Amino acid sequence: MGRHTLPLPPNEAERLAALHDLRILDTAPEAHFDAVCSTAAALFSVPMALVSLIDRDRQWFKAKCGITVDGTPRDLAFCAYAILSDDALVVEDATTDPRFANNPLVTGEPGIRFYAGAPLVLRTGIRLGTLCIIDTKPRSFSQALRTQLEDLAGIVVAHIELHRKQLAVQAALEERTRAQADILKARRALEETTDLLRLAQEAAGAGIWYWSLGEDVVHNSPESARMLGFAVEPGSADWIDISKAEWAERVHPDDLAMVRAAHVAALRDETIYKVEYRVKQPEGTNGYRWLMSFGRIIRDAQTGRISRIVGLDLDVTERHTTQEALIKSEARLALALDSGSDGLWDWNIATGHVWYSDRWHTMLGYVPGEIEPHIRSWTDLTHPDDLQQAQSLLKDHFEGRSHSYVCEHRVRTKAGAYSWILARGRVVAWNEQRAPLRIVGTYIDITERKAAEERIAYMACHDALTGLPNRTVFREQLKRRLAEVRRGRGQAALLCLDLDRFKTVNDTLGHPAGDDLLCQIAARLRATVRDSDVVARLGGDEFAIIVPHLDHPHQASKLAQRLIDAVGQPLDLGGHLVTVGTSIGIALAPVNGDTPETLFKHADLALYRAKAAARNNYCFYEAGMDTAVETRMRLELEMREAVMCDGFALHYQPVLRLAEDRIVGFEALMRWPHPAHGMIAPDEFIPLAEETGLIVPLGSWALHEACSEAASWPGEFTVAVNVSAVQFQRPGLEQSVLSALEASGLAPHRLVLEITESVLVQDAEAVIACLHRLRNLGVRTALDDFGTGYSSLSYLRRFPFDRIKIDRSFIREIGDPGAAAIVRAVVGIAAQLGATVTAEGVETTEQFEQVRQKGCTDVQGYLVSRPLTAEKAAEFIGSSTSTEQAYERLCGAERLDQHCACAA
């Protein structure tokens, strides 16, 4: 047979890939492969035996016996036909087989007449080559002999499967080969075929055993005994007799019946014995190892009766461990893909073909396979406003300007709506010119997150209760309008409103009624002003209005009177008719100022005069009102004296951890016990301290005092200290923190610095850098009064705050569905960022239960405890491990009842 095109396996490309992945071609000879060849040659009494691997254009001999060449062209190889089937190929006389009669290997050297080859099946359909035997004379080959050849081929496959591990254990295998060879020499009484088989198995790191029927013991080589967990002297070559009872005691109880059944079946059917089972590890260690045991039935040469079973054991623990880990890993991956929210995609950039996972389809409302698997589907579904950015980011990644492709954009669902997704991808294949060939990635549905961000963005710009613009937005609009005024573009007016008798209504009918009143007043204000006017709630019962275009001051006075009339109409609060009034201060621009600060200052002065003169009135700013500044100057001088003379004090308000129902720390709150005016609240002197710069020494004192006090507390109680924006603007804050920690000996992780969002607005980069340095020292950080200032999500992304504190205004209004949704959104974002959430200003059991249900982790407010002096705080901590008993001692029985209601 001349050379011609041979039939190829249908999966030839996959088969070649599997062969090349093994990296076994052209490797040095290995004893355990050669031993199998020798065993096969001896076992079947043939001059030649080969372990042949079929490459693309050749067959290469990993092991050979009786032949000198390393391989042949593939089109001459008998083995090229053997790999077409899982069954052994037998050619009893090549000269009569039309496939091989004219083959040069038949007509010339080595003169092949007989060939039998068992395919080496790595896995279903993947046949790498063969274990084959060759003779120069014709011969027959029974089914039993075929089975023996296939079993030996199975041993070769087992070694190929372990090939990846071979380099690490090669030295040990060679040592085992020499030791087992010495043992085999001492057992010359065994039949020649048994000796050769033993040599092959020992070379493979196997243990040999034989059992003579009728005996109660099994004879084991030292390696076999070691595998079974028996103690063997190092270097010993003596065989060890192990009773069947001793052997059974070592076998895993779940496997014993199966192993015995395999023995019985082999004796009954006279088949090869092969079984995998577990045996105990050696004494002093735990667990089991896996053994693969082979056995062959041996007949007595004279009587022809079965006399014994000769076999070998292989330690396949590592293979089982690897397989089990792989199965678990695949199961976990499958579970993650099935239950996760990620959609997967795989894009062949050259062809445009894209594979979309089932989850990718279903997350957009499509049936798997419904979307065309091409990149144009992605282009069609992506929102037109987002497509250019997505393509630009892809180009950046393709051209090496980004490590990976990350893009948030909208995708059209089957229902026609758009969902927000986060797309991530990375190029995994490049051509020689470094052009991308393939990119794989994921889709994550972030629609809910985007909605939460929108809600929080709305919260950042609007008052949660009334829906009016908040202070931040109001100031920005005022700032823009005043900039136009400075350029000569008309006049404007600022009206500051304060409700009269609101506190009385709130105290009489309760906070819900007060909230209802504020909402109705907000609606009346909006209805009274023009569309171009801006109405905002500044906080509490304070409102402000920008009149952006003013021709004459009397327009402002007329508007003020209309507002007073509108607010003064009776209000129905749950069946209660009440009336409130409003006092209004008016400042005109540019006459009374052309900056927000000045205009607000003068409008506040006018409001103060209106309230002092007669409630339910309005007043324009006049220059004489500045005399009130003298009072502030006097307060500033007294404050400076108090700073120098340690005239300030700190009170400590406990923070309750909901999950544990215990106090975990305190917030240090500054108080000014004025010798003439009594206790002055922080909101009366802190703004002045910030304005004058006195907040810097005052803040430094607070840090040292709080750290010193906290260091005396037992356990891990934390202390939170408020830090002003002014302290960040002035040098020395970091040194002040370090000095306070060093002087007090307080562990850094017990100190929490609380900052408001306004701090970050001043110089975000510098502030965040400072916070990172303090965080590296171990100091924790909290974002205070979240939602009342700028509430920029970028700050949360750029700096990992340990704690987010929801302002008391949202907690007070938490019964409103909108406010509750915002609280849930903040809690969700905090959870994603790994931060705890503290609800401030919790004053009722209803609020307590609401914040618990919404997922807040900590609670602070009068319901838990009013702020305590340093002595009372220490007594609170030391009084009892029971929070209830501490409350009883410090606050009286009525506070204990209130706390118990919360704890319940």
Side-chain angles (χ1 to χ4, degrees), residues 308-439:
R308 56 182 170 168
I309 301 178
V310 178
L312 58 86
D313 291 331
L314 290 173
D315 188 336
V316 292
T317 304
E318 187 173 2
R319 191 196 76 196
H320 269 272
T321 301
T322 302
Q323 288 176 341
E324 289 172 1
L326 178 60
I327 291 171
K328 289 180 180 179
S329 177
E330 290 176 343
R332 289 168 181 161
L333 176 60
L335 179 62
L337 294 179
D338 291 340
S339 61
S341 59
D342 293 9
L344 308 182
W345 50 271
D346 187 336
W347 175 18
N348 185 321
I349 301 171
T351 65
H353 181 274
V354 184
W355 170 82
Y356 301 110
S357 70
D358 290 353
R359 175 57 185 154
W360 192 97
H361 287 81
T362 57
M363 69 190 294
L364 298 179
Y366 294 94
V367 175
E370 186 176 355
I371 298 175
E372 180 189 10
H374 197 275
I375 191 61
R376 56 177 163 263
S377 297
W378 172 80
T379 303
D380 293 341
L381 293 175
T382 300
H383 195 288
D385 295 344
D386 301 341
L387 184 58
Q388 183 177 356
Q389 179 196 19
Q391 292 173 332
S392 176
L393 291 172
L394 271 173
K395 184 179 179 182
D396 288 345
H397 179 49
F398 288 167
E399 296 178 359
R401 290 188 293 273
S402 63
H403 181 65
S404 60
Y405 164 66
V406 180
C407 181
E408 295 182 0
H409 64 86
R410 289 162 289 179
V411 177
R412 189 175 68 251
T413 67
K414 187 174 182 178
Y418 281 91
S419 291
W420 276 98
I421 60 96
L422 169 61
R424 289 193 179 100
R426 182 174 296 177
V427 173
V428 295
W430 310 79
N431 64 14
E432 295 178 354
Q433 290 75 38
R434 292 297 295 169
L437 297 176
R438 178 172 168 238
I439 180 173

Side-chain angles (χ1 to χ4, degrees), residues 487-508:
R487 292 194 294 268
R489 297 182 180 177
Q491 302 179 72
L494 172 64
L495 283 67
C496 288
L497 294 77
D498 196 0
L499 298 183
D500 300 328
R501 300 183 299 280
F502 170 75
K503 186 176 184 302
T504 302
V505 175
N506 209 38
D507 293 343
T508 303

Side-chain angles (χ1 to χ4, degrees), residues 473-773:
V473 175
F474 187 81
R475 282 185 174 272
E476 285 297 323
Q477 296 203 30
L478 180 62
K479 181 179 179 181
R480 286 197 297 269
R481 177 57 187 135
L482 292 181
E484 295 174 351
V485 170
R486 287 195 296 273
R487 292 194 294 268
R489 297 182 180 177
Q491 302 179 72
L494 172 64
L495 283 67
C496 288
L497 294 77
D498 196 0
L499 298 183
D500 300 328
R501 300 183 299 280
F502 170 75
K503 186 176 184 302
T504 302
V505 175
N506 209 38
D507 293 343
T508 303
L509 300 181
H511 291 296
D515 292 345
D516 187 9
L517 183 149
L518 291 173
C519 290
Q520 292 190 45
I521 293 298
R524 290 183 181 183
L525 296 179
R526 278 195 298 260
T528 305
V529 301
R530 299 174 300 183
D531 291 341
S532 59
D533 299 339
V534 181
V535 181
R537 181 188 177 206
L538 304 183
D541 61 347
E542 299 176 7
F543 297 85
I545 299 173
I546 301 172
V547 181
H549 303 288
L550 195 71
D551 296 328
H552 192 277
H554 75 264
Q555 290 178 306
S557 61
K558 287 183 178 180
L559 173 60
Q561 188 58 56
R562 290 200 304 271
L563 292 169
I564 292 172
D565 293 341
V567 171
Q569 296 300 314
L571 296 154
D572 184 353
L573 302 179
H576 297 277
L577 286 178
V578 299
T579 57
V580 295
T582 182
S583 300
I584 303 176
I586 307 173
L588 305 176
V591 177
N592 302 139
D594 58 8
T595 65
E597 293 75 16
T598 303
L599 213 59
F600 257 114
K601 174 184 174 183
H602 291 164
D604 276 338
L605 287 171
L607 173 61
Y608 178 80
R609 176 67 60 85
K611 292 175 73 70
R615 302 278 177 138
N616 216 27
N617 194 12
Y618 67 87
C619 182
F620 283 90
Y621 169 75
E622 298 175 0
M625 295 177 183
D626 290 339
T627 55
V629 175
E630 295 180 5
T631 304
R632 291 173 59 84
M633 293 179 62
R634 187 180 306 109
L635 188 65
E636 179 184 345
L637 290 174
E638 293 172 346
M639 186 184 300
R640 291 185 184 277
E641 183 179 354
V643 170
M644 296 176 60
C645 301
D646 292 333
F648 289 89
L650 290 181
H651 287 190
Y652 300 88
Q653 187 171 37
V655 178
L656 177 68
R657 178 64 46 83
L658 289 173
E660 304 168 22
D661 193 28
R662 68 180 183 90
I663 302 301
V664 294
F666 295 81
E667 180 181 0
L669 302 171
M670 195 173 297
R671 296 292 185 266
W672 183 7
H674 194 281
H677 305 301
M679 189 67 71
I680 300 178
D683 56 359
E684 296 183 36
F685 66 84
I686 290 296
L688 180 60
E690 291 181 326
E691 181 180 332
T692 60
L694 286 173
I695 195 66
V696 175
L698 197 55
S700 178
W701 169 82
L703 276 168
H704 283 75
E705 183 72 12
C707 289
S708 176
E709 185 65 29
S712 68
W713 298 340
E716 291 292 311
F717 288 99
T718 61
V719 63
V721 181
N722 290 278
V723 181
S724 166
V726 178
Q727 291 175 265
F728 279 92
Q729 294 169 1
R730 306 286 180 89
L733 173 61
E734 293 176 59
Q735 185 57 43
S736 181
V737 173
L738 291 173
S739 174
L741 291 172
E742 183 177 358
S744 64
L746 183 70
H749 72 273
R750 293 180 59 192
L751 175 62
V752 182
L753 298 182
E754 293 193 5
I755 68 171
T756 61
E757 297 157 285
S758 60
V759 171
L760 297 167
V761 176
Q762 305 291 335
D763 185 353
E765 296 297 335
V767 171
I768 289 175
C770 174
L771 291 175
H772 274 294
R773 290 191 295 271

Side-chain angles (χ1 to χ4, degrees), residues 38-117:
S38 301
T39 299
L43 182 63
F44 298 106
S45 299
V46 294
M48 289 170 280
L50 303 171
V51 175
S52 172
L53 301 176
I54 305 301
D55 201 359
R56 180 176 288 103
D57 299 314
R58 60 169 178 159
Q59 71 167 334
W60 176 77
F61 304 143
K62 174 60 184 173
K64 58 191 177 183
C65 180
I67 194 168
T68 59
V69 296
D70 293 328
T72 74
R74 180 170 177 172
D75 57 4
L76 297 182
F78 282 56
C79 299
Y81 287 87
I83 66 170
L84 297 178
S85 170
D86 287 346
D87 299 326
L89 172 66
V90 177
V91 181
E92 295 185 343
D93 188 347
T95 61
T96 64
D97 191 315
R99 295 174 296 179
F100 308 110
N102 297 322
N103 192 307
L105 301 179
V106 176
T107 59
E109 291 295 331
I112 299 174
R113 294 292 297 278
F114 168 78
Y115 170 89

Side-chain angles (χ1 to χ4, degrees), residues 39 42-44 144-145 148 151-152 191-194 197 209-211 266-267 270-274 293-299 306-312:
T39 299
L43 182 63
F44 298 106
L145 294 176
Q148 292 178 5
D151 288 338
L152 285 177
E191 297 176 357
E192 181 180 358
T193 55
T194 305
L197 179 61
W209 54 269
Y210 68 91
W211 172 42
L267 290 172
E270 298 187 31
T271 57
I272 296 295
Y273 162 75
K274 179 181 177 181
S293 186
F294 296 89
R296 180 185 176 193
I297 306 299
I298 303 296
R299 291 184 175 275
I306 297 176
S307 61
R308 56 182 170 168
I309 301 178
V310 178
L312 58 86

